[in-house]
Amino acid sequence: MADAIIEFRALGLAYERAGVRTVILSNLDLAVARGEFLVIVGESGVGKSTLLRVLIGLAAPSAGTMRLATRPGCRTPMALVFQDARLLPWRRVIDNVAFGLEGSGLSRAERRAKAAAMLGVVGLSDLAGRWPHQLSGGQRQRVAIARALAVDPDVLLMDEPFSALDSLTREGLQDEVQRIQAETGKTVLFVTHDIDEAVTLADRVVVLAGNPGRVVAAMRVDLARPRLRRDRALLEAAHRLRAELSRDSAEL
């Protein structure tokens, strides 16, 4: 892929504990285009989250190569949003968002100004002075997204960020993250086990399967945005993806 911002070739990851070697990922090939919204789906334990951790440097691959074409000199090429918002309870919202900018050389006023701008992006400007315990689950996740955006990463990694939320809040945040991606042009890698969420969000869905995990299928979702969840074309895309997952599970 000529415009790839991320490229894995024959990537593998294994660890050894008590003399037993466990292989998590093997011979994994994947390229992600700049500005793409890529969703990774697969069963629990197949290595979806592990792949994000390899990207951000929290896990080291044991085989293969990884190439990143992020901006030269970019201080934080990638930022990761977890399933849990992981806000610091002793910091107000604006200072949670500014946390990743500490050590950047910006003054406190500059950090807070940038944090305030990112709270505006996620629609929480009026909550800047609140404490984390005063927020709903959905609001906390939006603060976590603002914190990730504040460091201006080239790639936004999202590890099942909405899975612990109720369905109404989840749908609202799905719409929000699509809007943010469209406005910022960020490359997004989003991990989920939810098929409907995958086709609602993705430009392209990649299926991980097997033991060890590897890419077994990919499907483009060439539907206009914003997407209506009960639109026939979207439902058909979800049906095709479920069929692909069932077929791959049966063959492995």
Side-chain angles (χ1 to χ4, degrees):
M1 186 181 290
D3 61 341
I5 191 170
I6 298 166
E7 190 169 14
F8 295 115
R9 289 193 180 277
L11 187 84
L13 186 140
Y15 67 87
E16 190 166 323
R17 185 175 297 164
V20 178
R21 188 169 187 268
T22 302
V23 182
I24 306 298
L25 300 169
S26 178
N27 201 33
L28 188 148
D29 293 323
L30 179 63
V32 184
R34 193 177 305 277
E36 183 175 23
F37 200 128
L38 182 81
V39 176
I40 302 171
V41 300
E43 296 179 353
S44 296
V46 78
K48 304 184 302 296
S49 297
T50 300
L51 187 59
L52 297 191
R53 281 155 176 76
V54 169
L55 269 169
I56 206 164
L58 297 177
S62 51
T65 60
M66 178 176 70
R67 184 181 69 86
L68 304 178
T70 51
R71 288 169 294 166
C74 181
R75 181 175 173 269
T76 310
M78 301 189 189
L80 177 58
V81 179
F82 295 92
Q83 180 177 338
D84 183 332
R86 303 190 181 190
L87 302 184
L88 302 174
W90 59 88
R91 287 182 175 235
R92 295 185 187 272
V93 164
I94 193 166
D95 294 315
N96 264 283
V97 176
F99 177 70
L101 296 170
E102 294 179 3
S104 65
L106 298 175
S107 68
R108 184 171 186 269
E110 290 170 326
R111 295 196 303 269
R112 286 172 66 89
K114 192 161 190 177
M118 292 305 103
L119 285 171
V121 169
V122 301
L124 292 181
S125 294
D126 57 336
L127 303 185
R130 290 196 184 180
W131 300 98
H133 73 269
Q134 296 175 309
L135 306 179
S136 68
Q139 289 168 340
R140 285 194 292 272
Q141 280 302 85
R142 283 202 275 171
V143 173
I145 294 169
R147 180 178 58 193
L149 291 172
V151 298
D152 193 22
D154 282 354
V155 182
L156 185 62
L157 308 175
M158 308 189 79
D159 190 4
E160 302 200 51
F162 310 145
S163 61
L165 304 173
D166 64 85
S167 59
L168 191 60
T169 302
R170 182 174 185 149
E171 289 184 1
L173 282 174
Q174 288 168 359
D175 294 340
E176 193 78 0
V177 79
Q178 288 184 84
R179 178 188 62 79
I180 291 167
Q181 195 265 347
E183 289 180 3
T184 63
K186 299 292 184 188
T187 304
V188 178
L189 263 70
F190 189 105
V191 162
T192 185
H193 61 271
D194 186 299
I195 300 303
D196 295 315
E197 181 168 71
V199 297
T200 297
L201 295 176
D203 296 319
R204 183 166 57 110
V205 181
V206 167
V207 179
L208 259 60
N211 186 15
R214 62 188 187 278
V215 174
V216 297
M219 186 183 84
R220 292 209 64 81
V221 186
D222 291 319
L223 300 175
R225 300 180 188 273
R227 293 173 179 171
L228 303 176
R229 289 175 177 79
R230 291 164 184 81
D231 181 78
R232 182 180 181 85
L234 197 66
L235 295 173
E236 288 174 352
H239 177 74
R240 291 197 307 274
L241 185 54
R242 286 190 176 89
E244 186 67 52
L245 280 167
S246 297
R247 183 181 65 82
D248 292 327
S249 298
E251 289 178 357
L252 292 169

